[in-house]
Amino acid sequence: MQLYTDAATEPNTEHSAAGILIIDNGQQHQLKQSLPTCDNHTAEFLAAIAGFKQLLDQYGPAHTIFFFTDSKIVAESVSKGYSKSFNVELHTLLHLQDQFQIVVTQWLPESQNHGAHQLAQQGLHLTD
């Protein structure tokens, strides 16, 4: 199962939204949702958290998850198991990931995360 997440944030207002793309057996499930007002880095963590909550709610924990994010800070924090500035968000994310059999986290360039990016942009416009 593949999970792609992205966040979009309006810099002036800090309105934020998440884009979540789940691919299960070749079938795409596209989700977008508003996030609390926050900076973009926090929004990236919250988008990942929302994605893993969605996986647990819809599919349960008995899966291997390939998690893709274009946020270097999310990918590096997960890899290290540490974040000075986003410790609470990282702890929440790691707790969710620990419930699955295996989670492989991979950073990818923004240009390869179009699906989740477009969903986040659409979600952002819903908050206006």
Side-chain angles (χ1 to χ4, degrees):
M1 192 170 291
Q2 297 174 335
L3 171 65
Y4 294 80
T5 65
D6 195 19
T9 302
E10 284 285 341
N12 296 335
T13 62
E14 291 195 333
H15 282 299
S16 298
I20 301 164
L21 178 62
I22 298 169
I23 302 176
D24 176 32
N25 291 323
Q27 236 181 336
Q28 288 190 14
H29 303 277
Q30 301 178 353
L31 306 152
K32 51 190 172 255
Q33 70 180 60
S34 296
L35 295 172
T37 301
C38 60
D39 64 86
N40 189 254
H41 290 309
T42 302
E44 292 285 357
F45 277 97
L46 296 178
I49 289 165
F52 277 94
K53 284 182 178 178
Q54 193 68 38
L55 286 176
L56 281 172
D57 290 347
Q58 284 189 345
Y59 303 98
H63 295 281
T64 295
I65 308 299
F66 292 92
F67 169 51
F68 299 94
T69 178
D70 61 13
S71 169
K72 284 188 178 183
I73 194 159
V74 170
E76 290 174 0
S77 296
V78 167
S79 174
K80 294 177 186 174
Y82 173 79
S83 173
K84 182 177 180 179
S85 301
F86 305 99
N87 193 45
V88 171
E89 294 84 0
L90 176 63
H91 177 76
T92 302
L93 178 57
L94 292 175
H95 175 72
L96 290 166
Q97 288 185 346
D98 285 346
Q99 296 178 55
F100 292 91
Q101 289 180 345
I102 297 172
V103 175
V104 177
T105 300
Q106 184 174 336
W107 175 83
L108 58 118
E110 188 176 315
S111 63
Q112 294 178 25
N113 200 20
H114 281 301
H117 178 76
Q118 285 185 313
L119 291 166
Q121 291 293 324
Q122 291 169 13
L124 191 59
H125 294 294
L126 294 176
T127 62
D128 292 345

